[in-house]
Amino acid sequence: MCTGRVDLAFVLRAFQKGATGVIIAGCWLGECHYVTEGNYDALNMMHLCKKLLEHAGVRPERLRLEWVGASEGIRFAEVMNDFANTLRELGPLGAAEGATPDHLASRLAALARLVPYIKLAKREKLALRLKSPEEYLQLYATDEVAALIRDVVSYYVEPELCQACMICLRRCPADAIAGGKNLIHVVDQDKCIKCGTCFDVCPPRFGAVRKISGAPVPPPLPEEARVVVRKGKGARRE
Amino acid sequence: MVAACTPRTHEPLFRDTLREAGINQYFFDMANIREHCSWVHSKQKEEATEKAKDIVRMSVARTINLEPLKEFELPVNKAALVVGGGVAGMNAALGLAGQGFEVHLVEKAKDLGGMARRIQTTLEGLDVQDYLQDLIRRVYQHPLVHVYHEATITDVSGYVGSFVTTVQAEGQVTIIQHGAAILATGADEHRPTEYLYGVDERVWTQLELEERISRKDEGLARARSLVMIQCVGCRQEGRDYCARVCCSQAVKNALSLKALNPELDIYVLYRDMRTYGFKEDYYLKAADQGVRFVRFTPSAKPEVEAARDEEEKPVLRVTVPDPILGQRLAIDAHFLVLSAAAAPAAGSPDVARLFKVPVNPDGFFQEAHVKLRPVDFAADGVFMCGSSHYPKHLSEAVSQAYGAAGRAATLLSQDTVTASGSVCTVAESTCISCGACVAACSYGAIHWRKTPGGDKAEVNPVLCKGDGLCCAKCPTSAIVLRHYTNEEVLNQIDAALFEAPSGAGEQAHAKQEVGS
């Protein structure tokens, strides 16, 4: 397992559970024993994650990425002691933030739910390999991350247009669409990972999946109202 | 789940035991409360115990999700590649060929022999050139050994059991398929930059001296005084290791000089004489024959200048503070010989990069474990011998070459090797065909597969090295690194940050995730 395996979700989960700090220690850049050079990916992810933490109200210094070679025991101890000092100054999670741990935990939980969306939206940037660590500093702007969260999309199946064809339901990777044959499909917003598969696969002649951004999602149709009654060739809801 | 002793030696043991009992070995996890805890916190017993509890709890949390995994059988190509045609490389090649394995021996120079071409005798008095000629003859005569001269390796791909190496030799490009590789790229003599070396032609290295002794150089036969300086270019900033062989080399040359010219005064300026083992006898013999050993300290190194003696003849004046006499010595020498450090061969970094094997901070090859796997690299199927590992005497290089050949033969004698089951796999139903994993994979292990639901990512487990970069990129967690799944890691994180309801222990929870 490489430093590049460290997932955004792992870091967010640690803070969500009240971690005072998270340190990721990996091999030095350019000294990969293999050809993967995954430490560049870790660096990329760490910069995005710092911005996300800031957005959630967590001090970004609580996350640190350090290069420590397998033979550098003394350096590891120094790095850990230094980080521990930083964390002691910041105090437990919430102290330096002026927020209760519960408040931060709920914000982080909301952010953790967006990890699939963030990974997808920032797919190209996350795959970037820059030459020097300094170049990564500018990779993600605070505004950019704020906009990313603000413009978060939701997918909603228009009950009037849905023909209950089961295509989106079958293709949803998160199993987030409820419904069945002759039952209007409904996106479970808690389960939805905002990948847009339903939007892409809904037959254009129905066009029933709507992308909603910056507006509330209408409440789901009550279960008893989801039956589709078909008359003749066309199908229409009762 | 076991929390005891070191996973380094014991994890394979426990896994084997499970396998023998008919239980899938991937159901096993080991909590490292030794190196990761008791060893580093030996002075903070209470806190270390709390941390050990955390580690155990994390391991248990991970174990809950462990799955049985299937390992892969990979075919083994029965040929070996040996890089470096010196004494180590040739012995390794003959060792394998003698057991019936085909060997491709790749040498960068025009002739076989490497560093041994410049060595006339050993300290014990064996004729190296005689031995070398016989060794080279045996290599050329062996039907299973193919020698490539003036060769460079341009590409290496594949993995244990089936490597594919491209060799450019004498204008021809050859693609060699082999199951194992032995790297024996040797060492070079460091070119000193101090003590007038390269400026004054009376200043030589030990190897240059040896060549002159072997041709009974007239100047040496007539000379009255010669100074040797030890530890040149090593045990100092930038090359901070002992090159091991130079003390014996100096004693050997001093004894040869005494035989050639008994009237010659020889001074060896040293920091620590390390004629280890029975080579110590020769140090005593040299002292008996009047070779003078004068110690110096790194803070007061000898100084060398071209000067003239009382008879107005040109000499090299070497001045050095003798810490025992407490006085500065000035020695007028006719020749100055520098014991220059053995440094990793110029080609070693390229070879290391091509085979994806590590070198230590000094640039020598790094073995997988000093005691437990001394001739193996961490990368499977690649082994080492000779001075590319660290400076060695001939006999040591030969022993290690036999060791490396033995290790390679253990692999080559198998029809298949077992690859780890900890590789990635894709849950087809959750793959959204975004391609993030395909782009993240450095090994080309992920390809598209046509399915009724569109193109889906699929992993070739034989190519997957289990680094998990793809998992960190996959938006839907459809790609899973087995044995290190999201659930397993997240469970560990939850367990690390679990607060006992009683509120026991107030400790900073800094979670570590160490990439290895």
Side-chain angles (χ1 to χ4, degrees):
Chain A
M1 186 169 140
C2 167
T3 351
R5 166 75 181 96
V6 181
D7 202 300
L8 261 182
F10 298 169
V11 182
L12 294 176
R13 173 72 75 98
F15 284 114
Q16 200 186 322
K17 294 282 172 172
T20 312
V22 173
I23 188 160
I24 305 165
C27 311
W28 287 87
L29 292 176
E31 291 192 4
C32 181
H33 290 183
Y34 299 87
V35 292
T36 41
E37 311 267 1
N39 38 13
Y40 284 91
D41 290 18
L43 184 62
N44 189 321
M45 183 282 290
M46 188 268 301
H47 281 293
L48 175 59
C49 197
K50 273 180 182 278
K51 293 288 177 195
L52 289 169
L53 289 173
E54 240 177 321
H55 187 84
V58 174
R59 291 281 289 268
E61 306 94 287
R62 293 189 187 274
L63 171 63
R64 199 186 274 193
L65 173 64
E66 289 278 1
W67 314 126
V68 188
S71 58
E72 296 178 303
I74 294 165
R75 179 174 155 77
F76 181 72
E78 283 169 1
V79 161
M80 293 309 285
N81 285 332
D82 184 63
F83 189 48
N85 285 337
T86 306
L87 294 182
R88 253 179 230 117
E89 277 168 34
L90 290 172
L93 188 66
E97 285 80 2
T100 64
D102 284 350
H103 173 72
L104 288 177
S106 72
R107 294 202 61 155
L108 288 161
L111 210 50
R113 273 201 299 276
L114 292 179
V115 166
Y117 159 76
I118 295 165
K119 281 189 187 175
L120 200 60
K122 293 289 162 202
R123 187 169 81 234
E124 278 163 18
K125 254 192 179 177
L126 280 167
L128 277 185
R129 289 262 172 106
L130 305 177
K131 282 193 191 76
S132 69
E134 291 75 31
E135 288 176 65
Y136 284 92
L137 290 171
Q138 317 297 330
L139 193 56
Y140 300 99
T142 306
D143 300 350
E144 177 190 356
V145 171
L148 176 74
I149 308 292
R150 189 182 60 235
D151 301 340
V152 65
V153 290
S154 299
Y155 293 94
Y156 173 72
V157 181
E158 293 283 3
E160 288 77 20
L161 299 176
C162 178
Q163 301 300 315
C165 70
M166 306 275 291
I167 293 177
C168 64
L169 186 148
R170 284 206 189 97
R171 294 286 294 278
C172 175
D175 246 346
I177 301 176
K181 238 181 185 159
N182 294 330
L183 279 177
I184 304 255
H185 302 343
V186 175
V187 178
D188 180 338
Q189 297 297 333
D190 285 337
K191 276 191 182 173
C192 174
I193 58 168
K194 307 173 191 306
C195 66
T197 302
C198 50
F199 183 79
D200 294 338
V201 300
C202 182
R205 64 182 188 280
F206 306 152
V209 178
R210 188 150 65 91
K211 207 175 187 173
I212 299 173
S213 177
V217 179
L221 209 59
E223 281 195 32
E224 58 279 12
R226 294 183 188 177
V227 184
V228 178
V229 177
R230 296 168 202 275
K231 290 176 192 162
K233 281 180 193 168
R236 195 176 279 159
R237 192 164 62 89
E238 203 171 20
Chain B
M1 200 287 290
V2 172
C5 207
T6 175
R8 213 159 181 178
T9 50
H10 287 49
E11 186 164 356
L13 189 72
F14 285 122
R15 282 171 170 244
D16 282 347
T17 309
L18 283 179
R19 206 166 41 212
E20 282 161 18
I23 298 170
N24 190 286
Q25 54 162 321
Y26 289 92
F27 276 131
F28 176 75
D29 195 49
M30 200 154 173
N32 190 350
I33 58 170
R34 188 166 109 134
E35 283 93 339
H36 288 177
C37 192
S38 64
W39 277 25
V40 285
H41 308 299
S42 55
K43 294 202 178 81
Q44 301 124 296
K45 285 187 183 158
E46 297 302 318
E47 290 95 330
T49 305
E50 288 308 312
K51 179 174 165 182
K53 286 183 193 167
D54 286 348
I55 294 172
V56 169
R57 197 170 52 243
M58 287 167 74
S59 181
V60 170
R62 169 179 154 72
T63 309
I64 292 167
N65 292 77
L66 291 180
E67 303 162 302
L69 300 182
K70 196 170 149 273
E71 298 189 318
F72 301 90
E73 298 287 309
L74 307 175
V76 174
N77 183 309
K78 300 284 183 178
L81 178 82
V82 177
V83 185
V87 164
M90 284 192 285
N91 272 299
L94 284 173
L96 282 168
Q99 296 181 72
F101 299 107
E102 194 172 18
V103 181
H104 301 272
L105 179 61
V106 177
E107 167 57 42
K108 71 167 182 220
K110 221 161 73 187
D111 300 298
L112 292 175
M115 185 56 86
R117 297 184 74 83
R118 301 181 67 186
I119 300 172
Q120 307 303 321
T121 60
T122 64
L123 179 55
E124 293 80 4
L126 297 174
D127 188 327
V128 175
Q129 292 309 309
D130 247 19
Y131 168 76
L132 190 62
Q133 290 319 312
D134 178 58
L135 188 64
I136 292 174
R137 188 184 51 77
R138 283 194 288 141
V139 166
Y140 282 132
Q141 283 182 351
H142 205 295
L144 287 174
V145 182
H146 312 292
V147 183
Y148 302 78
H149 304 94
E150 294 179 75
T152 41
I153 296 174
T154 52
D155 187 50
V156 181
S157 63
Y159 40 85
V160 55
S162 45
F163 292 101
V164 181
T165 300
T166 311
V167 174
Q168 204 162 13
E170 294 165 290
Q172 273 199 325
V173 176
T174 315
I175 291 171
I176 299 170
Q177 301 200 323
H178 55 105
I182 297 177
L183 307 187
T185 49
D188 289 337
E189 191 184 42
H190 160 68
R191 261 191 80 80
T193 51
E194 61 267 73
Y195 302 125
L196 301 181
Y197 184 82
V199 178
D200 194 306
E201 58 185 20
R202 292 167 297 176
V203 185
W204 311 322
T205 65
Q206 289 286 1
L207 280 174
E208 288 162 356
L209 170 65
E210 187 163 355
E211 279 163 36
R212 282 166 196 265
I213 295 172
S214 76
R215 61 177 152 88
K216 302 199 165 38
D217 184 273
E218 289 244 335
L220 277 176
R222 282 203 313 267
R224 292 214 307 273
S225 166
L226 181 143
V227 170
M228 295 181 182
I229 302 178
Q230 300 300 108
C231 300
V232 175
C234 62
R235 298 181 68 205
Q236 63 185 30
E237 192 89 26
R239 200 178 285 107
D240 197 13
Y241 58 87
C242 166
R244 286 184 88 247
V245 293
C246 351
C247 286
S248 309
Q249 171 80 354
V251 167
K252 176 182 86 178
N253 283 343
L255 286 170
S256 307
L257 283 169
K258 278 285 183 190
L260 181 73
N261 176 2
E263 301 304 309
L264 181 68
D265 286 333
I266 303 173
Y267 300 86
V268 179
L269 311 188
Y270 72 98
R271 283 171 58 188
D272 299 283
M273 282 310 281
R274 284 287 180 267
T275 44
Y276 53 87
F278 292 115
K279 292 180 167 63
E280 186 83 2
D281 293 342
Y282 297 91
Y283 165 67
L284 294 175
K285 190 174 166 191
D288 278 348
Q289 294 190 7
V291 175
R292 293 184 183 88
F293 292 91
V294 180
R295 190 166 207 161
F296 72 90
T297 56
S299 55
K301 284 189 177 181
E303 284 163 25
V304 180
E305 56 174 345
R308 290 191 177 269
D309 64 7
E310 296 113 24
E311 297 162 28
E312 285 301 305
K313 288 192 177 141
V315 290
L316 288 161
R317 183 158 298 149
V318 183
T319 46
V320 60
D322 183 330
I324 294 169
L325 293 177
Q327 281 185 339
R328 242 180 131 69
L329 291 184
I331 307 162
D332 285 349
H334 292 132
F335 298 106
L336 174 64
V337 180
L338 307 180
S339 289
S348 283
D350 287 336
V351 172
R353 188 176 42 76
L354 284 161
F355 281 93
K356 299 171 197 91
V357 293
V359 294
N360 69 16
D362 300 320
F364 290 103
F365 290 148
Q366 175 90 57
E367 68 282 84
H369 189 285
V370 180
K371 290 190 231 168
L372 303 173
R373 292 174 65 196
V375 298
D376 297 18
F377 279 104
D380 288 338
V382 191
F383 308 92
M384 72 181 82
C385 60
S387 288
S388 50
H389 179 210
Y390 56 76
K392 289 188 181 70
H393 289 295
L394 278 172
S395 58
E396 296 166 335
V398 172
S399 307
Q400 202 187 14
Y402 293 156
R407 289 292 295 151
T410 318
L411 164 65
L412 296 177
S413 57
Q414 311 283 324
D415 291 326
T416 56
V417 282
T418 308
S420 167
S422 175
V423 292
C424 294
T425 177
V426 178
E428 198 181 289
S429 61
T430 45
C431 173
I432 57 166
S433 320
C434 70
C437 56
V438 180
C441 185
S442 319
Y443 300 97
I446 311 175
H447 52 260
W448 295 110
R449 193 169 75 87
K450 289 214 180 312
T451 72
D455 287 355
K456 301 282 181 171
E458 190 181 56
V459 178
N460 177 352
V462 173
L463 293 179
C464 176
K465 293 281 173 290
D467 59 51
L469 299 198
C470 51
C471 309
K473 298 278 168 33
C474 179
T476 60
S477 304
I479 196 158
V480 172
L481 172 58
R482 292 192 150 146
H483 212 55
Y484 300 95
T485 65
N486 281 0
E487 290 70 34
E488 283 159 5
V489 178
L490 288 169
N491 264 2
Q492 269 184 296
I493 294 172
D494 290 352
L497 298 163
F498 167 83
E499 287 289 347
S502 59
E506 190 194 316
Q507 68 224 31
H509 280 300
K511 163 89 178 75
Q512 308 159 13
E513 280 152 12
V514 181
S516 60

